[in-house]
Amino acid sequence: MIYEITDPLERIYRFLLSNNLVRSAADFSRMMGRSRTYHNTLRLQHRTPSPEAWDNLSLGLHRLLGQPIHCETRMVIRQFISEIRDRQIGGEVLP
């Protein structure tokens, strides 16, 4: 059975972690402009990030594009940025 992560925040986190673009959930939380425990707290409480945290994450992903990273990695990061933007523009509540 293939397991696919459907939560956009978790997909982004695991991608960044597996590609060594963040070292931990604490780094990821800081990328969202929050305290080091923010991501883990969201997970445990089954909550979604604030709109400001999504904005900060998008900015953090944009900053990663300025680093020397593989072309395919860059493409996935751009898709994440688009996904965040599209959901916010569409007024959808991010899961």
Side-chain angles (χ1 to χ4, degrees):
M1 177 179 199
I2 297 174
Y3 175 70
E4 183 177 330
I5 301 169
T6 57
D7 174 30
L9 187 66
E10 194 63 24
R11 275 189 296 116
I12 295 169
Y13 168 65
R14 290 197 184 189
F15 177 83
L16 296 177
L17 187 65
S18 66
N19 285 280
N20 296 315
L21 297 171
V22 296
R23 292 176 300 188
S24 64
D27 282 350
F28 188 63
S29 294
R30 289 187 188 106
M31 185 181 274
M32 288 188 281
R34 297 295 189 257
S35 71
R36 60 186 310 278
T37 59
Y38 186 71
H39 180 64
N40 286 333
T41 300
L42 291 175
R43 281 172 151 172
L44 291 172
Q45 296 179 356
H46 304 287
R47 299 186 69 195
T48 60
S50 69
E52 183 181 341
W54 280 112
D55 288 341
N56 290 335
L57 178 57
S58 183
L59 290 172
L61 293 172
H62 274 287
R63 282 192 289 276
L64 289 176
L65 294 175
Q67 296 181 8
I69 54 177
H70 198 270
C71 183
E72 284 82 9
T73 303
R74 186 177 306 280
M75 188 170 61
V76 173
I77 290 172
R78 285 189 179 122
Q79 289 172 346
F80 288 148
I81 292 167
S82 279
E83 183 178 338
I84 292 169
R85 184 194 66 237
D86 291 347
R87 288 175 179 257
Q88 288 175 326
I89 289 172
E92 294 180 36
V93 176
L94 290 161

